[in-house]
Amino acid sequence: MATPVKVHGPPLSTAVSRVLACLIEKDVPFQLIPVNMAKGEHKSPDFLKIQPFGQVPAFQDEATSLFESRAICRYICEKYPEKGNKGLYGTNPLAKASIDQWVEAEGQSFNPPSSVLVFQLAFAPRMKLKQDQSLISQNEAKLEKVLDVYDKRLGESRFLAGDDFSLADLSHLPNAHYLVNAAERGELFTSKKNVERWWGEISSRDSWKKVVDMQKQST
Amino acid sequence: MVVKVYGPIKAACPQRVLSCLLEKDVDFQILHIDLDAGDHKKPDFLLHQPFGQVPAIEDGDFKLFESRAIIRYYASKYENRGPNLLGNTLEERALVDQWLEVEAHNFNDLVYNLVLQLVILPRMGKQGDSALALTCQQKLEKVFDIYEQRLSASAYLSGDSFTLADLSHQPGIRYLVEDAGMGHLVSQRKHVNAWWDTISNRPAWKKLMELASC
């Protein structure tokens, strides 16, 4: 029987892959429904019904329809507390608060500069778009500063929110993966001892390897 | 136990937290941080918030930063006190989270950049980038169009009740309407206008505005 859990979007999308990583960590079966963004399918009237901003992913299960990858991830964790990685969103309020803090830090401090860099360095060339060197330099500098903060934190704590891998670390996987593997910016991570150690651990998780496989298969 | 909130009362992100604490009737103490003097980048403050941003909170031994994480924590901790800012069922809570993420990722940056160019930089005697401001405004128009559509189907963003999703918008919309001359973005949209009217007249928000005007 087909699972009612559906994720709409291409696995190459960073936000889509964030949700896929979470579903796989939580051992929740799902169907991936492709959305051809090159053909503008994400702006079609049908798609706008499930994601009015015309962005990916959109998520559906038997109970609800949601968008925003980090909200989808939290929902999956809350709905399936006993499945897969039980501590992914913490098992008590203080742990959850720390995870939320670092998911927000990812969303507000890591995501903006890393997204610009991923687009400029990995996607723009493939789309035959001209790169903006000044934008690249500015955002490299911003990201360096953010990773300096991470390096200090990761010297005090094995993972961002505490001793266990959580949604906070998971949330970073998509952009960081492209920076290291498609944008030749691995040095951003390897030049900082604790960040390097952390990146090595989180990127070698089985769940992330499966997402990377899905990305490769989709090309 | 009084919650210590580090940050200036007039800044948007501390206001997000203060609005929530006032809604939940949680006692707090504001430790003012002078952004103009660069207090937020000093070593003392970096111990509270390593990115050098406001707000940060201290609740006994418990420390937290990122306003949207702080409001999620207190809305949950005091779930049974005052208005339910989170929703009741799992699905309702997910919708609250969804619109809170929309505010964080589709709304906040546009408002921040618009206000920076039109209000903050001029206040500092610097030239704002009017082309950038116009781009932000045009993008915000599209976002507000989507909000208008949403709010024609429900009184509040995530459903029938005021939640964190609506609360999170209060500081940014206030800046747009009162400081940046962008009130028309709200007033030209019937449902957005009604929604803003309702949420900006909540006693907790009005109390915060009173405190901030001292």
Side-chain angles (χ1 to χ4, degrees), chain A residues 101-123:
Chain A
Q101 172 183 277
W102 288 99
V103 171
E104 287 296 323
E106 179 271 317
Q108 295 294 320
S109 296
F110 180 85
N111 186 55
S114 61
S115 289
V116 171
L117 287 175
V118 167
F119 180 79
Q120 288 289 325
L121 296 168
F123 287 103

Side-chain angles (χ1 to χ4, degrees), chain A residues 53 66-67 74 101 104, chain B residues 64-65 72 97-98 101 106:
Chain A
F53 296 89
L66 286 175
F67 50 90
R74 287 186 182 97
Q101 172 183 277
E104 287 296 323
Chain B
L64 201 60
F65 57 85
R72 281 185 177 97
D97 208 27
Q98 172 186 281
E101 290 291 329
N106 283 6

Side-chain angles (χ1 to χ4, degrees), chain B residues 70-124:
Chain B
I70 296 167
I71 62 177
R72 281 185 177 97
Y73 175 71
Y74 283 104
S76 182
K77 181 174 182 178
Y78 297 106
E79 200 167 352
N80 298 315
R81 186 199 289 191
N84 181 350
L85 300 176
L86 287 174
N88 292 307
T89 63
L90 184 59
E91 292 76 29
E92 282 172 21
R93 293 159 97 96
L95 284 177
V96 173
D97 208 27
Q98 172 186 281
W99 287 100
L100 189 43
E101 290 291 329
V102 165
E103 182 275 318
H105 298 287
N106 283 6
F107 181 84
N108 184 61
D109 275 356
L110 296 174
V111 173
Y112 176 80
N113 277 304
L114 189 56
V115 171
L116 183 64
Q117 305 307 326
L118 294 181
V119 181
I120 311 286
L121 289 175
R123 252 184 221 168
M124 289 161 67

Side-chain angles (χ1 to χ4, degrees), chain B residues 6-17:
Chain B
Y6 291 85
I9 194 175
K10 287 185 197 272
C13 297
Q15 287 186 345
R16 185 173 290 114
V17 170

